[in-house]
Amino acid sequence: MFGDAYVHAGATYPAPGNPDIDVLVAMPGVLLVVEAKGERFTAPARRAAPGRV
């Protein structure tokens, strides 16, 4: 959809433990970070409770 030049799968960033981003779309003027989860969201996660999102 965005093109191979802009899509980066499994990117990491410099933080303790080198956390990963499932998909990073980096286009001029736009940065889209995609994180996918395989389990259901809990009620605290749905309301964006600190520590849950």
Side-chain angles (χ1 to χ4, degrees):
M1 173 189 255
F2 296 106
D4 293 339
Y6 299 121
V7 178
H8 310 280
T12 61
Y13 53 96
N18 289 326
D20 70 319
I21 299 168
D22 292 332
V23 177
L24 174 66
V25 180
M27 300 178 358
V30 176
L31 184 63
L32 177 64
V33 177
V34 179
E35 190 69 30
K37 299 296 175 203
E39 295 191 27
R40 294 179 180 213
F41 281 101
T42 62
R46 281 193 296 278
R47 68 174 185 269
R52 297 299 303 186
V53 178

